[in-house]
Amino acid sequence: MTSKKKTTQPQASLDPLPEMEVVRRHNLSGNTLSDKAHQIQFIQETPGTWSVKSTDQLRPEFKHESVRNRHFYTLPIWLCEELESEEFSGKVDQEQIAVEKELSHWAAEENFIAVHNGHLFSDPYRDIDSPVSFRSQESAPDEQSNQATPNAAALDNAARIRNETVKRPFVQALRGYQGWLMSNPQFLQELDRLLLDHGPEIEDNHFDAQAWHVRLQADWIMNQNPGSVELPQALARYQVFLSRWRLSRLAGPSYPIPLGPLASGLIPQSMFHQLQSSGGFFFLPDIIPIPSRDELRSLITGALSAEEDTPHLAKWRSLMDSSKSKGPAIQQHKRRFQVQHCWRLLHERHPGIFSRKRNKLQQLFAGALETSVNSIKEDFREFNRTLGDHWEERGFQLPSNVSGSTPSANSPGADN
């Protein structure tokens, strides 16, 4: 993606809201944690940072030199345990592995994938196909017993349950899309250019364009400024990047989070434009019968963006073609996301492990991902073909433009 000089790129604007960010939430009947949402309301409330948790629980592991001031992505627990074994004892720093294992266990409990100076990043699709339960807001036993309507926390919990149910059939495709993106030279080059130009500003806002936008709106309104909100160039360009590649956000510099389906819950107005340009809105009122499966598919397809507007997604769209057998290809891309992610983490933090242990590591990956060693080796051949021989050197921190060129994945070329 060709970047323009900052002095020539116009700033985006958005009309401010009359009072505060407007969100949509399904209202529930008496069954507080039921997913039988039936009525949509506008509810005005103060915006907040909902996609990135912040913690002041500074575990000792956060202070370790391999963790602090870095985007620290956790390794799978099974891999940490393997690295602790005698087989790799002379290849890795066992003290560092102990730190990583502690954080990996904590990450599994807290459902996050990375930490950066106390801020936690999550992948909503990582464990979505497992049974999920949500607790309502804690309160005194009789504090809410006489309420006629559920409180906001109960509504949000029910909305999350509903969305988990809706997203579950699509999770394999979303995970596969993550793998396809991280094997796509054009995506990686555009990501590198974005982070080279605006990485520090995006990082300061925890890679969350929605929360960043809402905070600017809130500040603009609270300061009683007339006119429209002027977005900083970094945010405007980040929003364009997310919309172009159908992402909701990045979980740190090197981890895309795709847009998923939404049935209920909070939809910030600042995200409406992105949703419209990344797919389409399809509203079906509850006073009409649901169309047949084929008719509904045709109606929804017609509400989506035209294919001619997204040539950079053409290959992925071909995988999604309903007339083709898409299961094995999607599963392959899902696996490749896991393989390349863990392999790059090992290369960044434990480079000595590859000496005479490469085949052993590939065997471990095959066993953990329930596939054959030949499939893992084919994954590596594909990485080398599309991303170049040194693809594993792609780091997990913000890129630095030392030479003045984009530090891409050493790609032999990119698709348009």
Side-chain angles (χ1 to χ4, degrees), residues 101-123:
K101 187 177 179 181
E102 286 293 322
L103 286 178
S104 293
H105 277 286
W106 193 52
E109 294 172 358
E110 297 293 326
N111 195 28
F112 75 88
I113 54 154
V115 61
H116 178 252
N117 291 339
H119 291 278
L120 308 182
F121 296 88
S122 64
D123 179 351

mmCIF file of all heavy atoms in Angstrom, residues 101-123:
data_model
loop_
_atom_site.group_PDB
_atom_site.id
_atom_site.type_symbol
_atom_site.label_atom_id
_atom_site.label_comp_id
_atom_site.label_asym_id
_atom_site.label_seq_id
_atom_site.Cartn_x
_atom_site.Cartn_y
_atom_site.Cartn_z
ATOM 1 N N LYS A 101 5.882 -20.583 31.312
ATOM 2 C CA LYS A 101 4.871 -21.565 31.691
ATOM 3 C C LYS A 101 3.869 -20.950 32.664
ATOM 4 O O LYS A 101 2.651 -21.178 32.548
ATOM 5 C CB LYS A 101 5.531 -22.792 32.300
ATOM 6 C CG LYS A 101 4.570 -23.933 32.578
ATOM 7 C CD LYS A 101 5.306 -25.156 33.117
ATOM 8 C CE LYS A 101 4.337 -26.291 33.417
ATOM 9 N NZ LYS A 101 5.045 -27.480 33.966
ATOM 10 N N GLU A 102 4.366 -20.178 33.630
ATOM 11 C CA GLU A 102 3.461 -19.525 34.580
ATOM 12 C C GLU A 102 2.497 -18.583 33.861
ATOM 13 O O GLU A 102 1.294 -18.567 34.139
ATOM 14 C CB GLU A 102 4.274 -18.746 35.623
ATOM 15 C CG GLU A 102 4.972 -19.620 36.657
ATOM 16 C CD GLU A 102 3.984 -20.326 37.566
ATOM 17 O OE1 GLU A 102 2.959 -19.702 37.922
ATOM 18 O OE2 GLU A 102 4.229 -21.495 37.906
ATOM 19 N N LEU A 103 3.021 -17.786 32.928
ATOM 20 C CA LEU A 103 2.173 -16.852 32.200
ATOM 21 C C LEU A 103 1.217 -17.579 31.255
ATOM 22 O O LEU A 103 0.091 -17.121 31.036
ATOM 23 C CB LEU A 103 3.030 -15.852 31.425
ATOM 24 C CG LEU A 103 3.722 -14.780 32.261
ATOM 25 C CD1 LEU A 103 4.589 -13.888 31.396
ATOM 26 C CD2 LEU A 103 2.701 -13.936 33.018
ATOM 27 N N SER A 104 1.647 -18.707 30.708
ATOM 28 C CA SER A 104 0.771 -19.476 29.823
ATOM 29 C C SER A 104 -0.416 -20.036 30.583
ATOM 30 O O SER A 104 -1.554 -20.028 30.090
ATOM 31 C CB SER A 104 1.553 -20.598 29.138
ATOM 32 O OG SER A 104 2.510 -20.079 28.240
ATOM 33 N N HIS A 105 -0.172 -20.530 31.789
ATOM 34 C CA HIS A 105 -1.273 -21.028 32.619
ATOM 35 C C HIS A 105 -2.219 -19.882 32.989
ATOM 36 O O HIS A 105 -3.448 -20.038 32.948
ATOM 37 C CB HIS A 105 -0.721 -21.691 33.882
ATOM 38 C CG HIS A 105 -0.293 -23.105 33.675
ATOM 39 N ND1 HIS A 105 -1.177 -24.143 33.532
ATOM 40 C CD2 HIS A 105 0.949 -23.662 33.583
ATOM 41 C CE1 HIS A 105 -0.522 -25.283 33.368
ATOM 42 N NE2 HIS A 105 0.773 -25.024 33.388
ATOM 43 N N TRP A 106 -1.638 -18.742 33.367
ATOM 44 C CA TRP A 106 -2.464 -17.597 33.739
ATOM 45 C C TRP A 106 -3.264 -17.094 32.536
ATOM 46 O O TRP A 106 -4.429 -16.718 32.653
ATOM 47 C CB TRP A 106 -1.592 -16.483 34.306
ATOM 48 C CG TRP A 106 -2.367 -15.401 34.985
ATOM 49 C CD1 TRP A 106 -3.303 -15.541 35.966
ATOM 50 C CD2 TRP A 106 -2.283 -14.003 34.708
ATOM 51 N NE1 TRP A 106 -3.800 -14.309 36.335
ATOM 52 C CE2 TRP A 106 -3.183 -13.353 35.576
ATOM 53 C CE3 TRP A 106 -1.519 -13.236 33.835
ATOM 54 C CZ2 TRP A 106 -3.353 -11.974 35.578
ATOM 55 C CZ3 TRP A 106 -1.689 -11.851 33.835
ATOM 56 C CH2 TRP A 106 -2.596 -11.245 34.705
ATOM 57 N N ALA A 107 -2.628 -17.105 31.353
ATOM 58 C CA ALA A 107 -3.317 -16.674 30.141
ATOM 59 C C ALA A 107 -4.517 -17.564 29.852
ATOM 60 O O ALA A 107 -5.580 -17.083 29.450
ATOM 61 C CB ALA A 107 -2.350 -16.690 28.960
ATOM 62 N N ALA A 108 -4.352 -18.877 30.064
ATOM 63 C CA ALA A 108 -5.461 -19.794 29.829
ATOM 64 C C ALA A 108 -6.610 -19.508 30.786
ATOM 65 O O ALA A 108 -7.789 -19.573 30.411
ATOM 66 C CB ALA A 108 -4.982 -21.237 29.975
ATOM 67 N N GLU A 109 -6.285 -19.182 32.044
ATOM 68 C CA GLU A 109 -7.322 -18.897 33.034
ATOM 69 C C GLU A 109 -8.021 -17.570 32.743
ATOM 70 O O GLU A 109 -9.235 -17.444 32.907
ATOM 71 C CB GLU A 109 -6.705 -18.861 34.432
ATOM 72 C CG GLU A 109 -6.162 -20.208 34.899
ATOM 73 C CD GLU A 109 -5.392 -20.093 36.209
ATOM 74 O OE1 GLU A 109 -5.265 -18.946 36.705
ATOM 75 O OE2 GLU A 109 -4.927 -21.119 36.721
ATOM 76 N N GLU A 110 -7.239 -16.575 32.326
ATOM 77 C CA GLU A 110 -7.797 -15.234 32.102
ATOM 78 C C GLU A 110 -8.246 -15.012 30.656
ATOM 79 O O GLU A 110 -8.772 -13.955 30.322
ATOM 80 C CB GLU A 110 -6.748 -14.172 32.466
ATOM 81 C CG GLU A 110 -6.333 -14.187 33.925
ATOM 82 C CD GLU A 110 -7.463 -13.775 34.849
ATOM 83 O OE1 GLU A 110 -8.269 -12.914 34.446
ATOM 84 O OE2 GLU A 110 -7.548 -14.330 35.958
ATOM 85 N N ASN A 111 -7.995 -16.017 29.792
ATOM 86 C CA ASN A 111 -8.410 -15.956 28.396
ATOM 87 C C ASN A 111 -7.770 -14.781 27.646
ATOM 88 O O ASN A 111 -8.451 -13.943 27.059
ATOM 89 C CB ASN A 111 -9.939 -15.897 28.276
ATOM 90 C CG ASN A 111 -10.413 -16.206 26.864
ATOM 91 O OD1 ASN A 111 -9.744 -16.927 26.136
ATOM 92 N ND2 ASN A 111 -11.545 -15.663 26.481
ATOM 93 N N PHE A 112 -6.442 -14.719 27.666
ATOM 94 C CA PHE A 112 -5.743 -13.740 26.854
ATOM 95 C C PHE A 112 -4.584 -14.419 26.135
ATOM 96 O O PHE A 112 -4.182 -15.535 26.472
ATOM 97 C CB PHE A 112 -5.273 -12.541 27.686
ATOM 98 C CG PHE A 112 -4.073 -12.798 28.560
ATOM 99 C CD1 PHE A 112 -2.781 -12.621 28.079
ATOM 100 C CD2 PHE A 112 -4.224 -13.206 29.877
ATOM 101 C CE1 PHE A 112 -1.681 -12.838 28.879
ATOM 102 C CE2 PHE A 112 -3.123 -13.417 30.693
ATOM 103 C CZ PHE A 112 -1.847 -13.236 30.189
ATOM 104 N N ILE A 113 -4.056 -13.742 25.126
ATOM 105 C CA ILE A 113 -2.985 -14.321 24.317
ATOM 106 C C ILE A 113 -1.690 -13.530 24.400
ATOM 107 O O ILE A 113 -0.636 -14.040 24.030
ATOM 108 C CB ILE A 113 -3.408 -14.407 22.837
ATOM 109 C CG1 ILE A 113 -3.871 -13.032 22.348
ATOM 110 C CG2 ILE A 113 -4.512 -15.446 22.657
ATOM 111 C CD1 ILE A 113 -3.727 -12.813 20.897
ATOM 112 N N ALA A 114 -1.772 -12.282 24.876
ATOM 113 C CA ALA A 114 -0.567 -11.453 24.927
ATOM 114 C C ALA A 114 -0.727 -10.392 26.001
ATOM 115 O O ALA A 114 -1.845 -10.029 26.386
ATOM 116 C CB ALA A 114 -0.295 -10.791 23.568
ATOM 117 N N VAL A 115 0.404 -9.886 26.461
ATOM 118 C CA VAL A 115 0.415 -8.814 27.445
ATOM 119 C C VAL A 115 1.455 -7.791 27.023
ATOM 120 O O VAL A 115 2.503 -8.143 26.454
ATOM 121 C CB VAL A 115 0.722 -9.353 28.866
ATOM 122 C CG1 VAL A 115 2.093 -10.004 28.915
ATOM 123 C CG2 VAL A 115 0.608 -8.242 29.912
ATOM 124 N N HIS A 116 1.145 -6.526 27.262
ATOM 125 C CA HIS A 116 2.097 -5.453 26.972
ATOM 126 C C HIS A 116 1.975 -4.402 28.064
ATOM 127 O O HIS A 116 0.997 -3.658 28.119
ATOM 128 C CB HIS A 116 1.832 -4.829 25.605
ATOM 129 C CG HIS A 116 2.756 -3.695 25.272
ATOM 130 N ND1 HIS A 116 2.344 -2.381 25.246
ATOM 131 C CD2 HIS A 116 4.081 -3.683 24.969
ATOM 132 C CE1 HIS A 116 3.371 -1.597 24.934
ATOM 133 N NE2 HIS A 116 4.438 -2.366 24.748
ATOM 134 N N ASN A 117 2.945 -4.385 28.948
ATOM 135 C CA ASN A 117 2.964 -3.414 30.044
ATOM 136 C C ASN A 117 1.639 -3.369 30.808
ATOM 137 O O ASN A 117 1.093 -2.305 31.081
ATOM 138 C CB ASN A 117 3.318 -2.023 29.510
ATOM 139 C CG ASN A 117 4.762 -1.937 29.048
ATOM 140 O OD1 ASN A 117 5.599 -2.744 29.453
ATOM 141 N ND2 ASN A 117 5.062 -0.975 28.192
ATOM 142 N N GLY A 118 1.133 -4.544 31.150
ATOM 143 C CA GLY A 118 -0.072 -4.635 31.958
ATOM 144 C C GLY A 118 -1.364 -4.693 31.194
ATOM 145 O O GLY A 118 -2.417 -4.964 31.774
ATOM 146 N N HIS A 119 -1.342 -4.448 29.900
ATOM 147 C CA HIS A 119 -2.554 -4.517 29.086
ATOM 148 C C HIS A 119 -2.644 -5.888 28.435
ATOM 149 O O HIS A 119 -1.687 -6.361 27.823
ATOM 150 C CB HIS A 119 -2.559 -3.416 28.024
ATOM 151 C CG HIS A 119 -2.715 -2.051 28.602
ATOM 152 N ND1 HIS A 119 -3.942 -1.523 28.939
ATOM 153 C CD2 HIS A 119 -1.801 -1.116 28.927
ATOM 154 C CE1 HIS A 119 -3.777 -0.302 29.437
ATOM 155 N NE2 HIS A 119 -2.481 -0.040 29.449
ATOM 156 N N LEU A 120 -3.807 -6.509 28.547
ATOM 157 C CA LEU A 120 -4.009 -7.856 28.053
ATOM 158 C C LEU A 120 -4.744 -7.823 26.713
ATOM 159 O O LEU A 120 -5.662 -7.034 26.516
ATOM 160 C CB LEU A 120 -4.816 -8.671 29.062
ATOM 161 C CG LEU A 120 -4.282 -8.675 30.502
ATOM 162 C CD1 LEU A 120 -5.143 -9.563 31.381
ATOM 163 C CD2 LEU A 120 -2.833 -9.129 30.542
ATOM 164 N N PHE A 121 -4.331 -8.702 25.814
ATOM 165 C CA PHE A 121 -4.951 -8.815 24.500
ATOM 166 C C PHE A 121 -5.547 -10.207 24.362
ATOM 167 O O PHE A 121 -4.925 -11.200 24.748
ATOM 168 C CB PHE A 121 -3.921 -8.580 23.390
ATOM 169 C CG PHE A 121 -3.344 -7.194 23.378
ATOM 170 C CD1 PHE A 121 -2.230 -6.889 24.140
ATOM 171 C CD2 PHE A 121 -3.922 -6.199 22.614
ATOM 172 C CE1 PHE A 121 -1.691 -5.616 24.143
ATOM 173 C CE2 PHE A 121 -3.382 -4.914 22.609
ATOM 174 C CZ PHE A 121 -2.272 -4.621 23.374
ATOM 175 N N SER A 122 -6.733 -10.279 23.796
ATOM 176 C CA SER A 122 -7.430 -11.559 23.686
ATOM 177 C C SER A 122 -7.747 -11.875 22.233
ATOM 178 O O SER A 122 -7.760 -11.003 21.368
ATOM 179 C CB SER A 122 -8.730 -11.533 24.499
ATOM 180 O OG SER A 122 -9.622 -10.569 23.963
ATOM 181 N N ASP A 123 -7.995 -13.157 21.986
ATOM 182 C CA ASP A 123 -8.490 -13.637 20.696
ATOM 183 C C ASP A 123 -9.854 -14.256 20.957
ATOM 184 O O ASP A 123 -9.941 -15.329 21.560
ATOM 185 C CB ASP A 123 -7.529 -14.674 20.110
ATOM 186 C CG ASP A 123 -8.016 -15.221 18.772
ATOM 187 O OD1 ASP A 123 -9.160 -14.941 18.385
ATOM 188 O OD2 ASP A 123 -7.238 -15.945 18.116
#
